[in-house]
Structure formats: structure tokens, C-alpha cells
Amino acid sequence: MTLSPQTAPPTADALRAAGLRVTESRTAVYEALALAPHASADEVFAAIAERMPRTSRQSVYNALGDFAEAGIVRRIEPAGRPMLFELRVADNHHHLVCVSCGAVEDVDCVVGHAPCLAPSDSHGYALQAAEVTFWGTCPACAAA
């Protein structure tokens, strides 16, 4: 399930529910993520810079950090790639990453409910979630 403008909560409602003040910059960042899941901070900045020429990269980074801390965005950190952000949170889904072009796709839980996977030894940890990244070649790159 990818969030789209039709399935993402209304921006102001989502920000207020997370205890965040609704600002023009936060609104623009949230809306950019609704249109482009798995976006980097630079991609979010590029998406909003044209309509908000006075915005700064730092304000985008601040908003993304606030969102992650408040739990309304999820940070994805694929090895060797820039950090990515998405609005799909709290469902413990996983990701497919293309080793050629860097495309990212959501994959629902591998098996069962969170944490979806069980380690061979939990070392006494109370498990809450599992992050799995599947690496491979996307259909477009495989066909090329």
C-alpha cells in the first residue's frame, strides 16, 4: 500500500495529531512525501523549492527530523544510499531496492504480524519490529 494524496491523512490533521505546529514549510514537506514516497531530503527540497523559493534545505531537514521524531514519517536507510522518508508508518512493512537504479518498493510483512520475523536468538530483547531490505534488480533494469 503506497500512500497517495487520496489516502494520506489531511496534512494539517496529521501534523496536529502528532503534536506539531502547522507551518507552511511542514505542510509543503508532508505534501511532497504524500506525492513521492521513499524520497530523500534533497528530493523533497527540490519538489517544494519552486513553489517556495525562500525555503531552505535546513528547514526541510528540520521538518523531516520533527516528523520522524513524532512518528509520522519513517526513515529508511538503505546501505550506500541517501536516507529516504515515507509516510507509511507503524505497519512494519519492508522494502525492495534495485541495485542498479535505486528504485524502492514497499513489501508487506514477510510472515505474520510485527515483528514479522523472529531471530534465531533474541538475547532477551522484547521485539517490536523488523526492518528487512531486499536487494535485487527491478523489472525495468532487468529488461535493459
Side-chain angles (χ1 to χ4, degrees), residues 9-104:
T11 304
D13 293 346
L15 296 176
R16 286 188 190 105
L20 297 171
R21 203 164 48 93
V22 178
T23 66
E24 182 181 20
S25 179
R26 284 179 175 161
T27 298
V29 169
Y30 188 91
E31 290 172 352
L33 286 174
L35 294 172
H38 311 123
S40 69
D42 287 341
E43 290 168 334
V44 171
F45 175 75
I48 66 175
E50 189 172 307
R51 74 174 185 177
M52 292 179 58
R54 297 184 115 156
T55 196
S56 68
R57 281 187 206 283
Q58 189 59 51
S59 67
V60 170
Y61 280 104
N62 291 345
L64 291 168
D66 292 345
F67 292 175
E69 189 174 313
I72 60 173
V73 300
R74 180 176 176 188
R75 253 181 238 166
I76 308 162
E77 301 182 44
R81 309 286 169 125
M83 187 180 316
L84 305 175
F85 298 86
E86 67 180 340
L87 294 177
R88 186 175 173 189
V89 297
D91 67 351
N92 198 220
H93 69 280
H94 307 299
H95 296 95
L96 296 164
V97 179
C98 179
V99 297
S100 183
C101 70
V104 178

Side-chain angles (χ1 to χ4, degrees), residues 112-130:
H113 303 284
C116 300
L117 301 172
S120 60
D121 185 348
S122 69
H123 297 279
Y125 282 65
L127 301 177
Q128 299 170 342

